[in-house]
Amino acid sequence: MGKIDFFKTFVKDKDVASVIPTSRRCVKKVCTHIDFSEDFLLVEYGPGDGAFTKYLIENMSEGSRLILIEANKNFAGHLRDTIDDPRVEIHNILAGDVRDVLNEKDLGSVDYVLSGIPFSFFDMDRKRIILKATKDILKQKGKFLAYQTSGHLKEPVMEVFGNYETEFEMLNIPPYFIYEVINNGTPTAETGQ
Ligand SMILES: C[S@@+](CC[C@H](N)C(=O)[O-])C[C@H]1O[C@@H](n2cnc3c(N)ncnc32)[C@H](O)[C@@H]1O
């Protein structure tokens, strides 16, 4: 998909949240948090037209799997039309419903969740719902990686996961905070589980 079609999708759907896809430089920076030398199961929230997805497919091993969770019908259709790879599954659903599309055996076995969805647009309850679903699908020591336009995720991430590290990528439109969060089994503030 070209930049103009991406922009047109943005105009019709405010949850697209960005006027152009993430730059290759920023994609590479976020993906330094992924170990491509090992087979992995990675779930991507909000792949859009595939800026990260392309890089993941190019670099992941034959034994790895990638599950794409995209809310926008236009983007999901584009991904289905352009990706022909047995390692990849595409679902046109909301990130908060991710547990519904994972096989029983994959729940709690996901190595990475990579997210570009605009958490800043969601109220606190919705942020918590998505983060708790994310924690449920990740394995112990699995990573939640998110690129976000501000530091607003710190509070709910601390509540649900109890840890995070961030770095800043200025040379992207928009500039992004990159979060790395480890699922280390820390109790969540709300449930105590
Ligand atoms: C900022 S764009 C990022 C697109 C692409 N990953 C990139 O980096 O260029 C956000 C994406 O998240 C999708 N999205 C927004 N809310 C979502 C949700 N609740 N569940 C799944 N996808 C969502 C949008 O449709 C859009 O594709």
Side-chain angles (χ1 to χ4, degrees):
M1 182 181 279
K3 284 187 179 150
I4 292 176
D5 286 329
F6 190 101
F7 181 75
K8 283 184 185 162
T9 308
F10 161 78
V11 170
K12 288 186 198 144
D13 178 357
K14 71 165 179 50
D15 282 350
V16 170
S18 172
V19 291
I20 53 170
T22 302
S23 70
R24 190 76 169 174
R25 176 194 156 98
C26 185
V27 168
K28 282 188 178 170
K29 187 162 179 175
V30 175
C31 289
T32 57
H33 296 268
I34 298 171
D35 180 1
F36 286 96
S37 70
E38 297 280 341
D39 288 349
F40 58 66
L41 172 57
L42 189 150
V43 175
E44 184 182 3
Y45 299 160
D49 75 343
F52 281 86
T53 316
K54 280 186 215 106
Y55 186 84
L56 294 168
I57 290 172
E58 283 163 18
N59 289 283
M60 70 191 205
S61 63
E62 280 308 307
S64 292
R65 287 193 297 136
L66 176 58
I67 299 178
L68 306 177
I69 307 292
E70 173 53 59
N72 182 280
K73 221 177 231 171
N74 193 29
F75 282 145
H78 171 77
L79 294 166
R80 287 196 181 111
D81 290 347
T82 54
I83 299 173
D84 179 18
D85 188 318
R87 299 172 299 173
V88 183
E89 265 176 51
I90 302 163
H91 299 280
N92 181 207
I93 59 159
L94 296 171
D97 296 329
V98 64
R99 282 172 294 216
D100 298 346
V101 295
L102 257 61
N103 297 325
E104 192 87 9
K105 70 172 177 49
D106 290 335
L107 291 171
S109 303
V110 173
D111 297 283
Y112 302 97
V113 172
L114 170 63
S115 175
I117 65 174
F119 277 94
S120 60
F121 291 10
F122 308 153
D123 64 25
M124 199 54 146
D125 278 350
R126 194 164 172 207
K127 285 179 192 161
R128 284 194 192 107
I129 287 168
I130 299 171
L131 291 173
K132 284 180 181 167
T134 302
K135 189 172 180 181
D136 282 352
I137 66 168
L138 277 171
K139 70 178 191 188
Q140 282 284 323
K141 305 289 174 208
K143 286 185 188 177
F144 172 54
L145 304 171
Y147 46 102
Q148 294 289 299
T149 50
S150 74
H152 58 86
L153 254 190
K154 291 177 182 174
E155 191 188 332
V157 156
M158 276 308 282
E159 212 182 273
V160 174
F161 287 96
N163 72 91
Y164 67 80
E165 283 183 16
T166 55
E167 56 189 311
F168 192 58
E169 173 56 51
M170 260 182 65
L171 297 177
N172 190 67
I173 302 171
Y176 278 134
F177 283 94
I178 301 168
Y179 286 73
E180 184 188 72
V181 179
I182 311 288
N183 181 25
N184 58 20
T186 304
T188 63
E190 216 182 327
T191 64
Q193 290 169 21

